[in-house]
Amino acid sequence: MTVRAGIAGAGMVAAVHADAIRRAGGAVIGVAASTPERSKAAAARLGADLAFHSASELAVSGEIDVLHVCTPNALHGPLVRAALAAGKHVVCEKPLSLTGTDSDELVALAAESGLVNAVPLVYRYAPLTVEARERVRAGQIGAIRLIHGHYLQDWLARPEDNNWRVDPAVGGASRAFADIGSHWCDLVEWISGHRISELTAAAQTVLPRRSAAGHETFAGTEAESPATRSPAQDATESAQIAVTTEDAVQVLFRTDRGATGALVVSQVSPGRKNRLWFEIDGAERSVSYDGEDPESLLLGGRDRTEIVRRDALSPGAGRINAVPAGHPWGYRDCFAAFTEDVYAAIRDHSASRDHSTSRGPRTAAEPAPAYPTFADAARTAHITDAVLTSAAHRSWIEVS
Amino acid sequence: MTVRAGIAGAGMVAAVHADAIRRAGGAVIGVAASTPERSKAAAARLGADLAFHSASELAVSGEIDVLHVCTPNALHGPLVRAALAAGKHVVCEKPLSLTGTDSDELVALAAESGLVNAVPLVYRYAPLTVEARERVRAGQIGAIRLIHGHYLQDWLARPEDNNWRVDPAVGGASRAFADIGSHWCDLVEWISGHRISELTAAAQTVLPRRSAAGHETFAGTEAESPATRSPAQDATESAQIAVTTEDAVQVLFRTDRGATGALVVSQVSPGRKNRLWFEIDGAERSVSYDGEDPESLLLGGRDRTEIVRRDALSPGAGRINAVPAGHPWGYRDCFAAFTEDVYAAIRDHSASRDHSTSRGPRTAAEPAPAYPTFADAARTAHITDAVLTSAAHRSWIEVS
Amino acid sequence: MTVRAGIAGAGMVAAVHADAIRRAGGAVIGVAASTPERSKAAAARLGADLAFHSASELAVSGEIDVLHVCTPNALHGPLVRAALAAGKHVVCEKPLSLTGTDSDELVALAAESGLVNAVPLVYRYAPLTVEARERVRAGQIGAIRLIHGHYLQDWLARPEDNNWRVDPAVGGASRAFADIGSHWCDLVEWISGHRISELTAAAQTVLPRRSAAGHETFAGTEAESPATRSPAQDATESAQIAVTTEDAVQVLFRTDRGATGALVVSQVSPGRKNRLWFEIDGAERSVSYDGEDPESLLLGGRDRTEIVRRDALSPGAGRINAVPAGHPWGYRDCFAAFTEDVYAAIRDHSASRDHSTSRGPRTAAEPAPAYPTFADAARTAHITDAVLTSAAHRSWIEVS
Amino acid sequence: MTVRAGIAGAGMVAAVHADAIRRAGGAVIGVAASTPERSKAAAARLGADLAFHSASELAVSGEIDVLHVCTPNALHGPLVRAALAAGKHVVCEKPLSLTGTDSDELVALAAESGLVNAVPLVYRYAPLTVEARERVRAGQIGAIRLIHGHYLQDWLARPEDNNWRVDPAVGGASRAFADIGSHWCDLVEWISGHRISELTAAAQTVLPRRSAAGHETFAGTEAESPATRSPAQDATESAQIAVTTEDAVQVLFRTDRGATGALVVSQVSPGRKNRLWFEIDGAERSVSYDGEDPESLLLGGRDRTEIVRRDALSPGAGRINAVPAGHPWGYRDCFAAFTEDVYAAIRDHSASRDHSTSRGPRTAAEPAPAYPTFADAARTAHITDAVLTSAAHRSWIEVS
């Protein structure tokens, strides 16, 4: 069965979804951007068959089986609701919604629907993060004592850098943490099996004013090219807007299983492009990983430190791995492997629907899906909420 | 236009081609493996519509526009001839053929046909190798003095490791050099603009006997699974075969433009998975690159050494780049970018055929294609021939 | 003038001091260990002329000009007081004393004496940390926004690891932070010109019981060799002692100039030997450094990241540098350069004493010494005190 | 016994020797530079007691026990002869002499004298090169198949760079190879236990003309400061001299025990300061090392690659190691450890002389010294001679 996909949104990550859809054996049926004209341009660019007038139209279209939500964050909740109501499976970019509470509601709606719901927390799909998880779960590093790391970028380091994510009405109250800190927390919780239970945080908006014109460091493909910009736009170039979302966050935390940790998140660290780095220190060994260099995992030990490569992998990591060690694993390979898992679930859902009576919500007895779901995204939303609250109160707070 | 592709061969690289075909907007119509049964299994595995009885049948099938040749090397020449004769575009894995002379003939046949012909010398499709080339061409490193490096693997390091490539009747007279040394030479010639004009080489078969049973380090997907192996196969497990192809090669060379260089190639270097590393030393700066870490390029200088990342790229590199810096670029991303260029040429060919009279061979006035062609593969075959000859004679030899 | 030095203490760091003394043109006149017998052994081992009965005898001996205090921490205060009272210059290992308050008293005593007082915060003596400081001071990275890093070791990762530092009566109330966190804070304050003004911290004793016998990971040279151990000692091998000092600390902080930061300190991180790593993110560039790899400094930037080596150094760094770039700079080279600065001050003190009337305390008009003094050590003691207090109260606290 | 040392020469490496002498418990009694005035300046700078009129006077002075020869190469032979004749122990910088033949004569003279003779092939004194050797000798990597690497510098990359080493009358017929290639060959032969028996080489003088004025990249301390330069000197600034010594060398080789290898040597590789890198590939594992990063040794394996640090070392490496892992080992630490071994031999020689009859030449039954001797330097001179001969004849040649 060729899974028929629609993509709401037309920026950089929409192109990544389109690529992954094809690799997973799906078809990019339709695309919807912010205007009908942009939808047409996006459909041509992404190789989609159809350009939809609007995302809400796409969400309920009979042409698609699954909706990929790649719009600015504020639209996630409404589109997910519409798609689920129309019986569509949903792949929604994180954050699932702007608050933990609303995210919980979407989790509940998805569960009731019995439809496949997924969020591309794609760092779970690098073979060596899976390997880290399997080794930690197998007890190779011993009891976990300390978890620490950072997630650093530089694309918002300058006052002239701007983006819809900076605006809380569009991107949500948290920016740096919701955007990348959430990935870090999801990944280390997933690998360690620990959950962050309590935290204290500080958050800073180091650039309280940014250019209104908005310079997108990685050319958002929806943005007008310079050639088409009007004099009016140039005139507003020097206009500034006030910024309230955070550029950087620091967190201390404790886990439900007694480990402690620290995390630094920043989108204003010059020279750091997408550095997701973590170290988990166990009683026997440590495991550390740099997402910018997914070809190696470091397994530290007092007498011996090992570089683990994509050879001789554990079964779980071997399941993901598709090219021999030394042939680099890309970011889009993570996306493809994620989408393959999700589409397998969609095909399985269709098959069960075709051959049996209606499939209800997943029961407690069923194992959790292999892929990250709305529930995982809601989990990161609650951590994000706790970070903002703690930073405002300057005190330790429990994560709900 | 959806390019309709057929894949001859069903091993690891065939799966990489299938992935790239889909990403480039093509369709994997048919697959042919070594037997009809294996073709069926491969079609299922690669998501192809049709399983062909044989590669020769596939090569001339009216169902396809382009043939991807992913078989053992000895079959390349015959399949390419058949496909060209049937008017198919051809993407052929390197080596194009077993000798430089035969490769030249295939180049001529392809040129006469006017069909698109390409060879996936895919390291040209990492954004940072393109960046290296653009900077070298722009004069940033000055006159080139010294070119050196290595290409090291370990998958044939043990006597129990075997593979069809080891057998000269199937893989050709050269193994390590033809398989990986050729990539290195293509890449540094392409970046530097220099051509290796003279060389002296040594070649060794460090394991003169290998297990007949043949252990494939990266599970070739055509190989029988252990469950299906017969007692007879186990009995031959300890049988040994004599090996004549080389495990390691060392080369000193001079270029047509007066630089000198050295290269070490090995498939028996424990711990090295796919380490293609080079350094080009110019009068002002040096440029070095490690294919296992395609996220950075090192631009050396006496007073300042720079790490170049996939940000602020030259136009040529920016054309290839599809994800922001810090989001790793994978091996399969190189393949996809290569296939996109090739398929664009195929679509262009179809368009010109539809709208005009017959398109003849490319004239001298036309620019060379952006992608690597049969001619580039033939070039590496001549270097390979010179390496074997020099190693046999223990003397400097000119590259024809 | 050959500076005549005495060393109180005979462990690993005493040997490092002895080496540095000789390289700075001093003479190792006498040594005192914990017993007269051990003093004799230490004198032979360190090449000292004399073995003293006790450290207190050495501190006031007419044979020496300067006392190097390398004893367990609890003895620092008394020995420093005795030496200053006897007119000796003092080089004291950090921590200067067990509390910030007592450290302040020693600073005052030293200032009144007019004698040279120094503490080997030796990471200030790697040419590239000096280079980092000079570039930050010259405005090359712009206004500092974020300071973060870690200092990780593994030598106390196991229950069988023990050491006098673990015992608060001997080592002080803080262990991991006082021992290594202090170095990190000193270094980043010195480089950045910012001072940590407020912090919140968490501290953990992950191993609440350790072997009483005490296994020293890096063979303390004062420890008995196995051959001389008695049966009674072996009997107590399995005995355990309760531990109250911290194994790991995490800190969030703000600086007096508006930057924020985070620090992770641990002596239980398997595979980390002595990893002092920091990153300082400015508005224009970042600077990061790993003390285990003192051959390079990373100068991050959005468009260009530079590896700075020990070539083309700023004057301040060039002053320290003594071997060409690429010829590694060692830990003991830091110590030697520090000691050269201190001994130059001692010689200068002697010269001024010989040629003029009595030299009084340094006046406010005089520039601070180039080398780290008691005042710098007291500064780190106050940060340490704040860390322990904050960890106990789980709240933000100002650093006095 | 305090070993009394004299240093002939006053450049950068003389200062390194002076430092090592003190650390080894010796005294820097006298120094001789190229003129009496420079000797005085050098004595002050190096902290020597006496300034000698000339090196030949120093070589035979009754004030010294050992002569350290740090002059330009052409003076090595005469000074070594004079010193040995006067009964002095000798530490001579490499190359021992300008040819293999003359080196052999010096080896014989030294052997007859029974005096301690040593050459600072100091890369043997990094704990991790010793560790590499011990592990190779213990069979951990299996039978050696392939040895390869490079030694790259950039201090002579520009036409304005010059130095006495460039002049064959002063530095010898070989420059890059004799200066640094010799270190590489000594190190890998010493670690592997293989000897280079046959080779083919190419050598290039990429800068056939260099500034006569001579710019020393690492300020030779004997050079005049700009302030003291005369107008006549500035006038000759643009004068050029012809260069015949080689800037770069490439070598293919075979060893007496059947391995093969390749080496690239260059002093014109921008950004490379002192990169001595090698890899030794065995049947089971590989070992690789970068002299610019002496804190880790890479032990490659197909299933597991290990980073070996200066912890848990083999006995031979532990003997050298003097600071805990993670506390970097410097270039001067290698020199100090080397000098400690040499001075221990000198002390042993004195003791045997005092207590017995005259000590004759070392007999075949005696074990070779732990430190590198004249014989080791002569070995590298023969390899150097073979390299030049092979490069001239463009053919394979046996190493005598």
Side-chain angles (χ1 to χ4, degrees):
Chain A
M1 165 202 168
T2 297
V3 175
R4 301 170 306 152
I7 303 176
M12 181 274 285
V13 87
V16 173
H17 280 253
D19 180 69
I21 289 165
R22 286 197 186 88
R23 297 172 80 178
V28 183
I29 299 296
V31 174
S34 52
T35 67
E37 291 70 33
R38 287 181 175 172
S39 292
K40 277 182 197 156
R45 201 171 58 240
L46 302 182
D49 299 334
L50 306 169
F52 281 74
H53 269 61
S54 69
S56 52
E57 186 189 356
L58 172 64
V60 301
S61 162
E63 304 285 337
I64 66 169
D65 302 310
V66 56
L67 181 70
H68 288 248
V69 182
C70 302
T71 62
N73 301 344
L75 300 175
H76 289 188
L79 286 171
V80 168
R81 281 184 168 82
L84 289 175
K88 309 300 177 196
H89 305 291
V90 179
V91 176
C92 183
E93 270 296 327
K94 47 139 252 288
L96 178 57
S97 185
L98 299 188
T99 66
T101 309
D102 194 53
S103 298
D104 288 344
E105 286 187 24
L106 296 175
V107 171
L109 281 176
E112 286 163 25
S113 74
L115 294 159
V116 171
N117 61 93
V119 174
L121 293 159
V122 290
Y123 295 105
R124 297 190 187 190
Y125 280 89
L128 290 178
T129 63
V130 182
E131 186 71 19
R133 184 177 193 255
E134 299 230 337
R135 288 178 181 242
V136 167
R137 298 297 168 101
Q140 285 192 18
I141 73 167
I144 294 173
R145 293 164 171 175
L146 186 56
I147 299 171
H148 52 109
H150 52 232
Y151 199 148
L152 309 174
Q153 299 180 331
D154 70 0
W155 66 292
L156 290 168
R158 298 175 181 161
E160 61 267 30
D161 303 327
N162 211 332
N163 182 277
W164 58 258
R165 293 170 195 276
V166 171
D167 179 358
V170 185
S174 169
R175 188 220 320 149
F177 196 87
D179 195 19
I180 56 177
S182 58
H183 267 302
W184 193 95
C185 293
D186 176 70
L187 189 60
V188 302
E189 287 196 346
W190 180 72
I191 289 170
S192 66
H194 285 228
R195 286 167 76 94
I196 295 171
S197 55
E198 203 185 9
L199 59 81
T200 187
Q204 305 87 42
T205 303
V206 301
L207 284 166
R209 301 191 71 77
R210 289 178 179 271
S211 161
H215 165 70
E216 300 225 359
T217 303
F218 187 76
T221 43
E222 276 212 82
E224 300 85 354
S225 71
T228 65
R229 295 179 62 200
S230 67
Q233 283 174 307
D234 286 333
T236 60
E237 192 82 356
S238 60
Q240 299 264 314
I241 53 166
V243 174
T244 58
T245 52
E246 83 280 0
D247 294 310
V249 172
Q250 305 84 40
V251 188
L252 303 188
F253 60 84
R254 297 189 69 83
T255 75
D256 57 348
R257 293 171 60 190
T260 49
L263 166 62
V264 172
V265 172
S266 161
Q267 295 182 316
V268 291
S269 293
R272 299 300 182 180
K273 298 304 167 188
N274 195 43
R275 180 160 161 118
L276 185 174
W277 178 84
F278 69 79
E279 173 168 328
I280 302 177
D281 293 321
E284 302 301 328
R285 311 198 75 179
S286 65
V287 61
S288 58
Y289 178 79
D290 174 3
E292 289 188 334
D293 177 15
E295 298 306 299
S296 61
L297 186 73
L298 209 60
L299 205 60
R302 187 138 89 191
D303 298 334
R304 180 162 60 85
T305 286
E306 240 178 272
I307 300 172
V308 178
R309 317 223 32 204
R310 284 189 291 104
D311 237 6
L313 293 170
S314 302
R319 183 183 77 87
I320 305 291
N321 196 31
V323 281
H327 296 72
W329 188 258
Y331 174 70
R332 292 189 293 177
D333 290 325
C334 297
F335 248 93
F338 160 77
T339 306
E340 281 164 20
D341 269 3
V342 174
Y343 279 26
I346 290 175
R347 290 189 185 98
D348 182 56
H349 185 278
S350 294
S352 68
R353 191 185 51 193
D354 292 349
H355 299 295
S356 69
T357 58
S358 153
R359 179 192 170 91
R362 191 165 64 87
T363 66
E366 289 181 83
Y371 53 85
T373 65
F374 283 11
D376 298 303
R379 166 73 190 149
T380 69
H382 285 290
I383 298 174
T384 302
D385 287 352
V387 163
L388 291 192
T389 304
S390 170
H393 290 80
R394 292 168 54 87
S395 64
W396 284 85
I397 189 173
E398 291 191 5
V399 179
S400 67
Chain B
M1 165 201 168
T2 297
V3 176
R4 300 171 307 151
I7 303 176
M12 183 273 285
V13 88
V16 172
H17 279 252
D19 181 69
I21 289 165
R22 286 197 186 88
R23 297 171 80 176
V28 182
I29 300 295
V31 173
S34 52
T35 67
E37 292 70 34
R38 287 181 177 172
S39 292
K40 276 183 199 158
R45 202 171 58 240
L46 302 182
D49 299 335
L50 305 169
F52 281 74
H53 268 62
S54 68
S56 51
E57 186 187 356
L58 172 62
V60 300
S61 163
E63 304 283 338
I64 67 169
D65 302 311
V66 57
L67 179 71
H68 288 248
V69 181
C70 302
T71 61
N73 302 344
L75 301 174
H76 289 188
L79 287 171
V80 168
R81 281 184 168 83
L84 289 176
K88 308 301 177 194
H89 305 291
V90 179
V91 176
C92 182
E93 271 296 327
K94 43 134 261 290
L96 178 56
S97 186
L98 299 189
T99 66
T101 308
D102 194 53
S103 299
D104 289 343
E105 286 186 25
L106 296 174
V107 171
L109 282 176
E112 287 162 25
S113 75
L115 294 160
V116 171
N117 61 92
V119 174
L121 293 159
V122 291
Y123 294 106
R124 296 191 187 189
Y125 280 90
L128 290 178
T129 62
V130 183
E131 186 70 19
R133 185 177 194 256
E134 301 232 336
R135 290 178 180 241
V136 168
R137 298 296 169 104
Q140 285 192 20
I141 73 167
I144 294 173
R145 294 164 170 177
L146 186 56
I147 299 173
H148 52 108
H150 51 232
Y151 199 147
L152 309 174
Q153 298 181 331
D154 70 359
W155 66 292
L156 289 168
R158 298 175 181 161
E160 62 266 31
D161 304 326
N162 211 331
N163 182 277
W164 59 258
R165 294 170 195 275
V166 170
D167 180 357
V170 185
S174 169
R175 188 219 318 149
F177 196 87
D179 195 18
I180 57 177
S182 57
H183 268 303
W184 192 95
C185 293
D186 176 69
L187 190 59
V188 303
E189 286 195 346
W190 181 72
I191 290 170
S192 66
H194 285 227
R195 286 167 78 94
I196 295 171
S197 54
E198 203 185 10
L199 58 81
T200 187
Q204 304 86 41
T205 302
V206 302
L207 284 166
R209 300 191 73 75
R210 290 180 178 271
S211 160
H215 166 70
E216 300 224 2
T217 302
F218 186 75
T221 44
E222 275 211 85
E224 301 85 353
S225 71
T228 64
R229 297 178 61 200
S230 67
Q233 284 175 308
D234 285 334
T236 61
E237 192 81 359
S238 59
Q240 300 263 313
I241 53 166
V243 174
T244 58
T245 53
E246 83 282 0
D247 294 312
V249 172
Q250 305 84 40
V251 188
L252 304 188
F253 60 83
R254 296 189 68 83
T255 74
D256 57 348
R257 294 170 60 190
T260 48
L263 166 62
V264 173
V265 172
S266 161
Q267 295 182 316
V268 291
S269 293
R272 300 299 183 181
K273 298 303 168 188
N274 195 43
R275 180 159 163 120
L276 185 173
W277 177 84
F278 69 79
E279 173 168 329
I280 302 177
D281 293 320
E284 302 301 327
R285 310 198 76 178
S286 65
V287 61
S288 58
Y289 178 78
D290 174 3
E292 290 187 334
D293 177 16
E295 298 307 299
S296 61
L297 187 72
L298 210 60
L299 206 59
R302 185 139 90 192
D303 298 334
R304 178 161 62 84
T305 286
E306 240 179 272
I307 300 172
V308 178
R309 316 220 37 201
R310 283 190 291 103
D311 236 6
L313 293 170
S314 302
R319 184 184 77 88
I320 304 292
N321 196 31
V323 282
H327 296 73
W329 187 259
Y331 173 70
R332 292 189 294 177
D333 290 326
C334 297
F335 248 93
F338 160 77
T339 307
E340 281 164 19
D341 269 2
V342 174
Y343 279 27
I346 290 175
R347 290 189 186 99
D348 182 55
H349 185 279
S350 295
S352 68
R353 192 185 50 192
D354 294 349
H355 298 297
S356 70
T357 57
S358 156
R359 178 192 172 90
R362 190 164 65 86
T363 66
E366 289 181 83
Y371 51 87
T373 64
F374 282 11
D376 299 302
R379 166 74 190 149
T380 69
H382 286 289
I383 298 175
T384 302
D385 287 352
V387 162
L388 291 192
T389 305
S390 170
H393 291 79
R394 292 168 55 86
S395 64
W396 283 86
I397 188 173
E398 290 192 6
V399 179
S400 66
Chain C
M1 165 203 169
T2 297
V3 175
R4 301 171 306 153
I7 303 175
M12 181 274 285
V13 87
V16 172
H17 280 253
D19 180 69
I21 290 164
R22 285 196 186 89
R23 298 172 80 177
V28 183
I29 300 295
V31 174
S34 52
T35 67
E37 291 70 33
R38 287 180 176 171
S39 293
K40 277 182 197 157
R45 201 171 57 239
L46 302 182
D49 299 335
L50 305 168
F52 281 74
H53 269 62
S54 69
S56 51
E57 186 187 354
L58 171 63
V60 301
S61 164
E63 305 284 339
I64 66 168
D65 303 311
V66 56
L67 181 69
H68 288 247
V69 181
C70 302
T71 62
N73 302 344
L75 299 175
H76 290 187
L79 286 170
V80 168
R81 281 184 168 82
L84 288 176
K88 308 301 178 196
H89 305 291
V90 179
V91 176
C92 182
E93 271 296 327
K94 44 135 260 283
L96 179 57
S97 183
L98 299 188
T99 65
T101 310
D102 193 52
S103 299
D104 287 343
E105 286 188 24
L106 296 174
V107 171
L109 282 176
E112 285 163 26
S113 75
L115 293 160
V116 171
N117 61 92
V119 173
L121 293 158
V122 290
Y123 294 106
R124 296 190 187 189
Y125 280 90
L128 290 178
T129 63
V130 183
E131 186 71 18
R133 185 177 192 255
E134 300 230 337
R135 289 179 180 241
V136 168
R137 297 296 168 102
Q140 285 192 18
I141 71 167
I144 294 173
R145 294 164 171 175
L146 186 56
I147 299 171
H148 52 109
H150 52 233
Y151 199 148
L152 309 174
Q153 298 181 331
D154 70 0
W155 67 292
L156 288 169
R158 297 175 182 161
E160 60 267 30
D161 303 326
N162 212 332
N163 181 277
W164 59 258
R165 293 170 195 275
V166 171
D167 180 357
V170 185
S174 169
R175 187 220 318 150
F177 196 87
D179 195 17
I180 56 177
S182 58
H183 268 301
W184 192 95
C185 293
D186 176 70
L187 189 59
V188 302
E189 287 195 346
W190 180 72
I191 290 170
S192 66
H194 285 226
R195 286 168 77 93
I196 296 171
S197 55
E198 202 186 11
L199 60 81
T200 187
Q204 304 87 42
T205 303
V206 301
L207 283 166
R209 302 190 71 75
R210 289 178 180 273
S211 160
H215 166 70
E216 301 224 0
T217 303
F218 187 75
T221 44
E222 275 212 84
E224 300 85 353
S225 71
T228 64
R229 296 178 61 199
S230 67
Q233 284 174 308
D234 286 333
T236 61
E237 193 80 356
S238 59
Q240 299 264 314
I241 54 166
V243 174
T244 58
T245 52
E246 83 281 0
D247 294 311
V249 172
Q250 305 84 40
V251 188
L252 303 188
F253 60 84
R254 296 189 69 84
T255 75
D256 57 348
R257 294 171 60 189
T260 49
L263 166 62
V264 172
V265 173
S266 161
Q267 295 181 317
V268 292
S269 293
R272 300 299 184 182
K273 299 303 169 188
N274 195 43
R275 180 160 162 118
L276 185 172
W277 178 83
F278 69 79
E279 173 169 328
I280 302 177
D281 293 321
E284 302 302 327
R285 309 198 77 178
S286 65
V287 61
S288 58
Y289 178 78
D290 174 3
E292 289 187 334
D293 177 14
E295 298 306 300
S296 62
L297 186 72
L298 210 60
L299 206 59
R302 187 139 88 191
D303 298 333
R304 180 161 61 84
T305 286
E306 239 178 273
I307 300 171
V308 178
R309 315 218 40 200
R310 284 189 292 102
D311 236 7
L313 293 169
S314 302
R319 185 184 76 88
I320 304 292
N321 196 31
V323 281
H327 296 73
W329 187 259
Y331 174 70
R332 292 189 294 177
D333 291 325
C334 297
F335 248 94
F338 160 78
T339 306
E340 281 164 21
D341 269 2
V342 174
Y343 279 26
I346 290 174
R347 290 189 185 98
D348 181 54
H349 185 278
S350 293
S352 69
R353 190 186 52 193
D354 293 348
H355 299 296
S356 71
T357 56
S358 153
R359 178 192 172 91
R362 190 164 66 85
T363 66
E366 289 181 82
Y371 52 85
T373 65
F374 283 10
D376 298 303
R379 166 74 191 149
T380 69
H382 285 289
I383 298 175
T384 303
D385 287 352
V387 162
L388 291 191
T389 304
S390 170
H393 291 80
R394 293 169 53 87
S395 64
W396 284 85
I397 188 174
E398 290 191 7
V399 179
S400 67
Chain D
M1 166 202 169
T2 297
V3 175
R4 300 172 307 153
I7 302 175
M12 182 273 285
V13 86
V16 172
H17 279 253
D19 180 70
I21 290 164
R22 286 197 185 87
R23 297 172 79 176
V28 182
I29 298 297
V31 174
S34 53
T35 67
E37 292 69 34
R38 287 181 176 172
S39 292
K40 275 182 199 157
R45 201 172 58 240
L46 303 182
D49 298 335
L50 306 168
F52 281 74
H53 268 61
S54 68
S56 51
E57 187 186 355
L58 172 63
V60 302
S61 164
E63 304 283 339
I64 66 168
D65 302 311
V66 57
L67 180 70
H68 288 247
V69 181
C70 303
T71 62
N73 302 345
L75 300 175
H76 289 187
L79 286 170
V80 168
R81 282 184 167 81
L84 290 175
K88 309 302 176 194
H89 305 291
V90 180
V91 176
C92 183
E93 270 296 326
K94 44 137 252 289
L96 179 57
S97 185
L98 299 189
T99 65
T101 309
D102 193 54
S103 298
D104 288 343
E105 286 187 24
L106 296 174
V107 171
L109 281 176
E112 286 162 26
S113 75
L115 293 161
V116 171
N117 61 93
V119 174
L121 293 159
V122 290
Y123 295 105
R124 297 190 188 188
Y125 280 89
L128 290 178
T129 62
V130 183
E131 186 71 19
R133 184 178 194 255
E134 300 231 336
R135 289 179 180 241
V136 167
R137 298 297 168 102
Q140 285 193 19
I141 72 168
I144 294 173
R145 294 164 170 175
L146 186 56
I147 299 173
H148 52 108
H150 52 232
Y151 199 148
L152 308 174
Q153 298 181 331
D154 70 359
W155 67 291
L156 289 169
R158 298 174 181 163
E160 62 267 31
D161 304 326
N162 212 332
N163 182 277
W164 58 259
R165 294 169 194 274
V166 170
D167 180 357
V170 185
S174 168
R175 188 220 317 151
F177 196 87
D179 195 17
I180 56 177
S182 58
H183 268 303
W184 193 95
C185 293
D186 176 71
L187 190 59
V188 303
E189 287 195 345
W190 180 72
I191 289 171
S192 66
H194 285 227
R195 285 167 79 92
I196 295 170
S197 54
E198 203 185 9
L199 59 81
T200 186
Q204 303 87 41
T205 303
V206 301
L207 284 166
R209 301 191 71 76
R210 290 178 178 272
S211 161
H215 166 70
E216 300 225 1
T217 303
F218 187 76
T221 44
E222 276 212 83
E224 299 85 354
S225 71
T228 65
R229 297 178 61 199
S230 67
Q233 284 175 307
D234 286 333
T236 61
E237 193 81 357
S238 58
Q240 300 263 315
I241 54 167
V243 174
T244 59
T245 52
E246 82 282 1
D247 294 311
V249 173
Q250 304 83 41
V251 188
L252 304 188
F253 60 84
R254 297 189 68 84
T255 74
D256 57 348
R257 294 170 61 190
T260 49
L263 166 63
V264 173
V265 172
S266 161
Q267 294 182 317
V268 291
S269 293
R272 301 298 184 181
K273 298 304 167 187
N274 194 43
R275 180 158 162 120
L276 186 173
W277 178 83
F278 69 79
E279 173 167 329
I280 303 177
D281 294 320
E284 301 302 328
R285 309 198 76 179
S286 65
V287 60
S288 59
Y289 178 78
D290 174 4
E292 290 188 334
D293 177 15
E295 298 306 299
S296 61
L297 186 73
L298 210 60
L299 206 60
R302 185 138 89 191
D303 297 333
R304 179 162 62 84
T305 286
E306 239 178 272
I307 299 171
V308 178
R309 316 221 36 201
R310 283 189 292 103
D311 235 8
L313 293 170
S314 303
R319 184 184 78 88
I320 304 291
N321 196 31
V323 282
H327 296 74
W329 187 260
Y331 173 70
R332 293 189 293 176
D333 290 326
C334 298
F335 248 93
F338 160 77
T339 307
E340 281 165 19
D341 269 3
V342 174
Y343 279 26
I346 291 175
R347 291 190 185 97
D348 181 55
H349 185 278
S350 294
S352 69
R353 191 186 51 193
D354 293 349
H355 298 296
S356 71
T357 58
S358 155
R359 180 192 172 90
R362 189 163 67 85
T363 66
E366 288 182 84
Y371 52 87
T373 65
F374 283 11
D376 298 303
R379 165 75 190 147
T380 68
H382 286 289
I383 298 175
T384 302
D385 287 351
V387 162
L388 291 192
T389 304
S390 169
H393 290 79
R394 292 167 57 86
S395 64
W396 284 85
I397 188 173
E398 290 192 7
V399 179
S400 69

